Amino acid sequence: MALRIPVRASLLFMRLLTTGLAQLPIPASAPRGFWALPENVTVVEGAAAELRCGVRAPDSVVQWAKDGLLLGPDPRIPSFPRYHLEGDPSRGEFHLHIEASDLSDDAEYECQVGRSETGPELVSPRVALSILVPPRVLQLTPEVGSTVTWVAGQQYVVSCVSGDAKPAPDITFLQSGQTISDISASVNAGSQEKLFTTEATARVTPQSSDNGHLLVCEASSPALNTPIKVSVTMNVLFPPGPPVIQWPGLDEGHVRAGQSLELPCTARGGNPPATLQWLKNGQPMSTAWGTEHTEAVASSMLVMVVRPEDHGARLSCEAHNSVSTGIQEHGVTLQVTFPPSALTILGSASQSENKNVTLSCITKSSRPRVLLRWWLGWRQLLPTEETVMDGLHGGHISMSNLTFLARREDNGLTLTCEAFSEAFTKETFKKSLTLNVKYPAQKLWIEGPQKGQHLRAGTRVRLVCLAIGGNPDPPLTWYKVGAKQGLQECGGRMEPLLSSRVLGNLGKTRIFGKTQEILSYGRELEKTQEDSRTVTEPRPPQEPRRVQLGSLEKSGNTFSRELVLVTGPSDNQAKFTCKAGQLSAFTQLVVQFPPTNVTILTNASALRPGDALNLTCVSVSSNPPVNLSWDKEGEGLEGMPAPLRSAPFKGSYAARSVLLRMSSRDHGHRVTCRAHSTELQETVSAFYRLNVLYPPEFLGEQALVVTAVEQGEALLPVSVSANPAPEAFNWTFRGYRLSPAGGPRHRILSGGTLQLWNVTRADDGLYQLHCQNSEGTAEALVRLDVHYAPTIRALQDPTEVNIGGSVDIVCTVDANPILPGMFNWEKLGEEEEDQSLDDMEKMSKGSTGHLRIHHAKLAQAGAYQCIVDNGVAPPARGLVRLVVRFAPQVEHPTPLTKVAAAGDSTSSATLHCRARGVPNIAFTWTKNGVSLDLQDPRYTEHTYHQGVVHSSLLTIANVSAAQDYALFTCTATNPLGSDHTNIQLVSISRPDPPSGLKVVSMTPYSVGLEWKPGFDGGLPQRFQIRYEALGTPGFLYMDVLPPQATTFTLTGLQPSTRYRVWLLASNALGDSELADKGSQIPITTPGLDQPSGEPDYQLPTEQPSGPSGMPQLPVLFAIGGLLLLSNASCVGGFLWQRRLKRLAAGISEKTELGSEEDRVRNEYEESQWTGDRDTRSSTVSTTDVEPYYHSMRDFSPQLPPTLEEVLYPHGFRGLEEEDMASPGHLYDEVERLYAPSGAWGPLYDEVQMSPYDLHWPETKYEDPGRIYDQGAGDLDPVEPDVLPFELRGHLV
């Protein structure tokens, strides 16, 4: 133990020795003193490390060295808290153990053994402790954990950077689990010494198989047990596979009409999945598809009902996605099979005995063709001719003709045409008729109206046909043959009108029993010329002609059939014939009828403006003749009549023409022709509607200007007329065509109206509308006038003008609409009279408003507000300051023409100079006419600016009577002129007498006085009132409280009494002299029966006669008044103290608001502070210093009047005197004006001055103790004989 605790000197020697030994090379025989030598050790950062050292001489001093730095023999190694020696020293074990190794431990170490009694000094070989630092992070670009979208086949670059590590880690990239070989890596220095970073870059070409797999960056290091990894997910885009159509069945494309076809189309693969679309002959049919994301399959089902016209159509399915280089498709061509939709038999199945019956059977188009065969009953008939023709939709039409002899035994059999084909084995197509073989009758006659009887159209007529004989029973058939002049019905052939075997529309007729049938007569029109076109407007449907056909009646061998009909035009002179076989009989009717048809003929098929249209109105037939007339939309037209001629139905033909010149306004009008029968009192009309083709024309009501409000909605209407209707409405704005499909803020409505919403002022302008149809185009310009609230763009602030000059305050706005009276002006200020703009001229021109000021005055300076209201909220408001520039006006306050200071070379004096003017004023000082050298360290000048008020404070340090008692001149200058004032610096002295003493109010017992204080002599002064009642010996004195007050109410007077009042001023050096003028005044109090009010200055100069004693009643009133005043003084004192506190708080608030109120004065806010060390002058903002003050330290309440013999050798009494008797109401006038010291706000607050009132408000003075060093004015008043010498001043 003695060896391990050496003395300090020996330890120092040992350290020096071992340090030297450490520098020596280790001999080859060094290990001879060690039984265990340290070895190189490698550990991971944070793990423990141990370097072994075994010494054969355990009593030696052993210590370790790190990079040559000895760690010391103390096993605890205090300098390295994580280091300590482990092992048993007695056995020579001195192992170095390092806890929580870090990079600072990476060094070379050696074990050193000091010389001892048992052995020499030894040094082990140096070994290295290597600290492995694993990489903490990997930075992958793109961002780790993100999903990157790549296109298959394209090459991308990916970079991976490891964090600090030792040694530099190895980086590999894995793409979908496969190592990427194309990698470039570089090793860079880390953020610390011995640390490294590895930056690797790989070139990746993704394939479709990589979609959804990971791209991994892997870093490995000896310091890591397992590599660290970061990855991104690959979203690989690749095109889909080709589409596949799955046809239901074996024969692709073969389908039957009427079948519901369902075709699935699938496309596999693709990222994103495929988009599918069905097309028919290149035209889109269906764009609906679905996607199975797990299988990456897109599918679409086409459902359609096959029709014959689909034959030969190509159905195709297209597939593509965003990375497809082209569109892939699969198509199928349809082969449609369809049967004939109908069979038709042409010809009549009714024929006389032993005559040929000829019939034709025709099919509709079919695919494939069908075969035809005939059946009569169950007997097949051979056709005489068969024909096949091409039909619609790739089909065929089959026709078969049949001729056979009608025989009596075939009567009543069914004649059938049958169509068949192998393609339609399960279907049969037939058409059947019943064969009718006819036999003649024997005798026949007709019973009906008398011959030549006139019948009006619509008259009910009964005709009876009678026949005898016939085998089989004769069919009584009625026939009708038209008049010779007209076209005969049925082409002039004798056709049955009604018979017992007529089928069709009349249905089946029974021989026995009565049935009623209806027959509709058709109309026949006369042929017209080839160059004319018949135009017949649809007439209101007329009641169908009624024909009642009775059943065939048989009475014995006689057959009868009745025909009851309602007569019509075609019945006039027509022969009604009844036939029974070869026998026939007829009768004729005379029928009067209006025009059967009124037809309008035109010479033009297409009309355009300027064309001439010739219309001819034709009354086809009437009996008797009619009169024709024209009108257009109710307006009569002159026409040209044509001569009458014969017409069908033995009637008269009439025609009348009219010529019209077309215009676009005629489109849609009706031109009406009226045929009037005077005898029948009936009119038949027809009209022709004019169809005039013309290009678009904008109507008169088309809006040319549309007004909208910003952020609102606008509709640009279209009032256009065109035939045909416009095909397109194209809107163009500023050269850009608006999309017909609409946009984020517009759409084109049906009819072409343009709708805009969220309108902005940028939308204002001309919109060009282009309308087009097949006849031409038309264009119109519609202006959109967007109204928006005004915004002030230009407002010169401040606007300056010289006093007496003229200036315009110009306010320029951006607004729509621009209205003549939208500009308004206001002057901002507290007083209403300050806001009047009567003497100013308001003008406006367009978007600019002017407020013109003529002969500018100071009162017009301030803030003005430009208010612009064009009817679109909100109105715009802008503030502008009018600055009225004027030459300096220095204030000449009488109390400050002299400044007193002790001339003992230790005191200081401050001279105050204040002036008004704009722009800023520069102050210069002279002393006795010589410019003051501000470089003199005794002179310091400060300049203050606030608004139009500027102040200069000249402080004279170490005032010397010999040098500084002089006349100082302050000159204020700005670009408009200059002004000056003189200030006399004098010695401290007694105050000057006050002046201007006057009476402001008077009562029988009191009088209110006011005066102007004189020079205070450089010391605080106070005032004392001396008064006497004329005729009464002695003087009374009353102290004025507060001391610096300039108004006071003298109480304790008697009514109707003459007094003489003097006002005295005093300071610490003495009293002022009694001046003859200005400080004394005679008064006479009013009597009790006289009203109190303003004083009467016509005071008597002689004493009143009579005894001088006072009456008892006034004395009693005086005593009572004194008592009341005494009580009131106590209450008033309390109230006065409370009001002082309120006033202080109020002034503090005004201090905070002072800057705002100053802005609305002259607003010449160029306050600045500059400093000049050489000239010792400065300019500061006037919010810290007030050059004038009232000290409240010497305040004392008013004292009761005393006799002249009572003096005050020790000055005035203070507030501590509790037994004072003072009227409380006397403080009402002073508490408003004075506040405790320190309660005043910033300098010049509430300063209001006119150019003609050049006095300073005395209610804003501060305690000078805040600003200046304590001077004569800061000391308590003392006896003149005890006043210090330095305050007594020097005589000049």
Side-chain angles (χ1 to χ4, degrees), residues 387-444:
T387 306
V388 178
M389 299 174 290
D390 292 335
L392 297 176
H393 316 305
H396 304 279
I397 298 174
S398 299
M399 184 175 68
S400 175
N401 296 328
L402 175 67
T403 301
F404 68 96
L405 184 65
R407 298 180 300 176
R408 181 178 301 180
E409 58 268 23
D410 295 333
N411 182 47
L413 295 181
T414 301
L415 182 63
T416 302
C417 177
E418 180 183 6
F420 64 95
S421 172
E422 294 180 357
F424 313 113
T425 57
K426 296 182 181 181
E427 298 178 77
T428 301
F429 310 96
K430 296 180 180 180
K431 182 68 175 180
S432 299
L433 295 176
T434 301
L435 182 62
N436 182 25
V437 180
K438 295 176 289 186
Y439 297 91
Q442 296 181 359
K443 183 180 180 181
L444 188 69

Side-chain angles (χ1 to χ4, degrees), residues 680-722:
L680 298 178
Q681 291 297 309
E682 187 172 347
T683 302
V684 178
S685 301
F687 67 86
Y688 176 74
R689 189 179 300 275
L690 299 176
N691 182 25
V692 182
L693 302 178
Y694 59 95
E697 296 178 356
F698 290 97
L699 305 180
E701 57 269 21
Q702 169 66 43
L704 300 181
V705 178
V706 176
T707 301
V709 178
E710 194 169 30
Q711 303 303 324
E713 180 179 304
L715 285 176
L716 276 61
V718 175
S719 297
V720 67
S721 173

Side-chain angles (χ1 to χ4, degrees), residues 54-388:
V55 182
R56 300 186 186 279
D59 56 346
S60 300
V61 176
V62 179
Q63 60 179 335
W64 285 82
K66 175 183 178 182
D67 286 339
L69 174 66
L70 294 178
L71 304 181
D74 190 344
R76 295 173 299 173
I77 310 181
S79 300
F80 295 84
R82 294 184 291 105
Y83 293 12
H84 65 273
L85 297 181
E86 285 190 347
D88 187 357
S90 62
R91 297 172 57 184
E93 296 176 347
F94 298 94
H95 309 315
L96 178 62
H97 186 84
I98 302 175
E99 293 289 343
S101 60
D102 58 25
L103 192 62
S104 62
D105 302 327
D106 190 277
E108 292 184 345
Y109 295 83
E110 60 186 11
C111 180
Q112 297 186 5
V113 182
R115 183 185 298 275
S116 66
E117 297 178 357
T118 60
E121 63 273 6
L122 301 173
V123 178
S124 71
R126 287 192 177 187
V127 296
L129 174 60
S130 298
I131 305 299
L132 302 182
V133 179
R136 304 298 183 190
V137 294
L138 283 177
Q139 296 181 354
L140 181 62
T141 304
E143 185 178 356
V144 174
S146 63
T147 299
V148 296
T149 300
W150 290 337
V151 178
Q154 296 186 11
Q155 190 179 76
Y156 299 90
V157 176
V158 179
S159 63
C160 186
V161 181
S162 70
D164 292 338
K166 179 176 178 292
D170 296 327
I171 293 179
T172 58
F173 287 91
L174 300 176
Q175 178 181 354
S176 300
Q178 301 297 321
T179 303
I180 299 175
S181 60
D182 189 4
I183 298 177
S184 60
S186 62
V187 177
N188 304 316
S191 61
Q192 301 180 24
E193 187 180 1
K194 299 181 181 180
L195 292 181
F196 305 92
T197 62
T198 300
E199 181 177 0
T201 302
R203 300 184 181 276
V204 181
T205 303
Q207 304 300 326
S208 60
S209 59
D210 295 326
N211 183 41
H213 293 177
L214 296 179
L215 177 68
V216 180
C217 173
E218 183 179 280
S220 59
S221 171
L224 294 171
N225 293 328
T226 58
I228 60 174
K229 302 178 181 180
V230 294
S231 64
V232 296
T233 302
M234 293 180 289
N235 179 31
V236 181
L237 305 181
F238 57 94
V244 176
I245 299 177
Q246 300 174 2
W247 185 266
L250 299 178
D251 296 333
E252 182 177 296
H254 291 273
V255 65
R256 183 166 179 175
Q259 177 182 345
S260 179
L261 182 63
E262 296 183 358
L263 290 182
C265 176
T266 58
R268 298 184 178 274
N271 183 28
T275 297
L276 300 180
Q277 178 180 235
W278 281 96
L279 296 95
K280 176 181 175 183
N281 294 330
Q283 298 299 319
M285 292 183 64
S286 173
T287 58
W289 78 95
T291 303
E292 178 61 40
H293 293 280
T294 57
E295 301 294 335
V297 176
S299 60
S300 177
M301 178 69 72
L302 175 64
V303 178
M304 64 176 290
V305 177
V306 180
R307 296 177 299 175
E309 53 264 33
D310 293 329
H311 175 71
R314 175 177 171 80
L315 301 180
S316 59
C317 178
E318 294 184 349
H320 72 281
N321 68 359
S322 58
V323 294
S324 297
T325 57
I327 295 179
Q328 304 181 77
E329 66 107 17
H330 182 200
V332 175
T333 301
L334 297 181
Q335 301 293 326
V336 182
T337 300
F338 53 93
S341 60
L343 277 74
T344 303
I345 298 178
L346 302 178
S348 175
S350 179
Q351 185 59 277
S352 300
E353 182 182 15
N354 298 322
K355 290 189 177 182
N356 286 332
V357 177
T358 302
L359 299 173
S360 295
C361 182
I362 302 176
T363 68
K364 293 288 186 180
S365 180
S366 66
R367 186 179 180 275
R369 60 162 290 187
V370 295
L371 301 176
L372 299 176
R373 57 191 173 189
W374 293 90
W375 298 89
L376 180 60
W378 297 105
R379 177 165 53 97
Q380 183 175 0
L381 302 178
L382 296 177
T384 58
E385 183 182 8
E386 292 184 346
T387 306
V388 178

Side-chain angles (χ1 to χ4, degrees), residues 869-1121:
D869 186 0
N870 66 344
V872 182
R877 297 175 181 270
L879 190 66
V880 60
R881 298 165 296 174
L882 176 63
V883 177
V884 179
R885 300 181 296 187
F886 58 96
Q889 299 173 353
V890 178
E891 299 179 359
H892 305 276
T894 301
L896 295 182
T897 54
K898 293 190 293 183
V899 175
D904 54 358
S905 299
T906 61
S907 301
S908 62
T910 300
L911 308 185
H912 310 272
C913 178
R914 188 159 78 168
R916 291 161 46 87
V918 176
N920 280 356
I921 291 175
F923 291 94
T924 58
W925 290 86
T926 61
K927 183 172 71 174
N928 291 333
V930 179
S931 295
L932 197 63
D933 183 11
L934 295 180
Q935 300 293 336
D936 191 334
R938 294 195 309 113
Y939 300 116
T940 302
E941 190 266 344
H942 294 277
T943 302
Y944 305 91
H945 305 279
Q946 181 174 2
V948 302
V949 180
H950 314 272
S951 301
S952 176
L953 274 68
L954 177 64
T955 302
I956 305 172
N958 303 327
V959 175
S960 170
Q963 298 180 12
D964 300 319
Y965 285 170
L967 181 65
F968 289 83
T969 300
C970 171
T971 302
T973 306
N974 71 2
L976 301 181
S978 62
D979 194 8
H980 70 277
T981 186
N982 296 323
I983 302 176
Q984 181 75 43
L985 180 60
V986 298
S987 174
I988 296 175
S989 62
R990 293 184 300 169
D992 291 346
S995 61
L997 180 63
K998 63 180 180 179
V999 177
V1000 294
S1001 65
M1002 185 179 296
T1003 68
Y1005 302 102
S1006 64
V1007 63
L1009 303 175
E1010 184 180 20
W1011 63 90
K1012 294 182 180 179
F1015 176 57
D1016 60 3
L1019 297 174
Q1021 66 177 342
R1022 43 178 71 85
F1023 298 101
Q1024 187 181 58
I1025 295 177
R1026 185 179 79 168
Y1027 64 98
E1028 65 173 347
L1030 299 182
T1032 301
F1035 296 92
L1036 296 176
Y1037 290 83
M1038 178 71 73
D1039 292 331
V1040 175
L1041 295 177
Q1044 285 79 22
T1046 59
T1047 59
F1048 190 75
T1049 301
L1050 179 62
T1051 61
L1053 306 180
Q1054 299 300 323
S1056 304
T1057 305
R1058 297 175 60 196
Y1059 292 91
R1060 184 172 297 276
V1061 180
W1062 291 265
L1063 182 63
L1064 303 176
S1066 63
N1067 62 12
L1069 297 181
D1071 298 335
S1072 63
E1073 299 177 356
L1074 290 175
D1076 295 337
K1077 297 181 179 178
S1079 62
Q1080 60 175 319
I1081 187 173
I1083 60 175
T1084 301
T1085 57
L1088 295 177
D1089 55 349
Q1090 298 180 3
S1092 302
E1094 294 297 327
D1096 184 7
Y1097 291 103
Q1098 301 297 329
L1099 300 177
T1101 58
E1102 298 180 359
Q1103 296 183 4
S1105 60
S1108 61
M1110 292 182 292
Q1112 292 184 354
L1113 184 59
V1115 173
L1116 293 177
F1117 276 103
I1119 296 174

